[in-house]
Amino acid sequence: MTIKILAISGSLRKASSNTALLRAAKQLAPEGVEIEIYEALGQLPHYDQDLEGDVPANVVELRQRIAEADGVLIATPEYNYSVPGVLKNALDWASRPYGESVLTGKPVAIMGASGSAFGTVRAQNHLRAVFHFLDSKLVGKPEVQVGNNWERFDNDGNLVDETARNLVAGLVAALVVVIDDVQKAKVAA
Ligand SMILES: Cc1cc2nc3c(=O)[nH]c(=O)nc-3n(C[C@H](O)[C@H](O)[C@H](O)COP(=O)(O)O)c2cc1C
């Protein structure tokens, strides 16, 4: 059976190194693992609790796609030491209704690329807190912090750094282990 992973990049720009990391994950995924990149982050409305009674169609679609995925893989940039607003906005939408979030119990892995040497470590720590609160099944290791991102990709946006490629492949493999565990626990329940 195919394992389906929904991949979300926290950057909207076309030449995003984080979206490029997700493309690398897609290429490096083992057989039987399908990674689909979510492309509608920029179209989501700002989170507004008044809309919860009549949720916008693209939010319904986001929630549905997360619900249907076996796991979620996020690549986040770091903006001002934290998570970009567009990504946090999507997670806030996916976090509701309270107590019924599609992210609760969902296997999640995070990685990131940034221009600094720290490779999004601060943003990832903030993101980990969000998933901790939502009781997602967050992969701990490997930590994939791709610093000095301009050195890691070629002009076509291919991840060429061997260490980073191995880490991305390792993160996908670790996510698959968590997905397997969650699925086995469901069968046993
Ligand atoms: C608004 C803004 C804030 C940023 N803040 C940080 C930061 O706190 N730490 C960091 O390492 N890079 C920071 N950067 C630089 C990003 O790491 C760099 O632009 C990166 O390439 C963004 O990811 P992307 O290639 O996926 O778009 C910032 C960039 C922007 C536009």
Side-chain angles (χ1 to χ4, degrees), residues 52 63 90:
E52 285 291 353
R63 289 178 180 171

Side-chain angles (χ1 to χ4, degrees), residues 49-60:
Q49 202 173 353
D50 286 342
L51 301 181
E52 285 291 353
D54 186 14
V55 179
N58 44 8
V59 174
V60 172

Side-chain angles (χ1 to χ4, degrees), residues 11 13 15-18 77-81 113-116 122 149:
S11 173
R13 74 185 185 99
S16 161
S17 57
N18 283 281
E78 179 171 281
Y79 281 0
N80 303 303
Y81 279 24
S114 85
S116 85
R122 295 159 295 221
N149 57 359

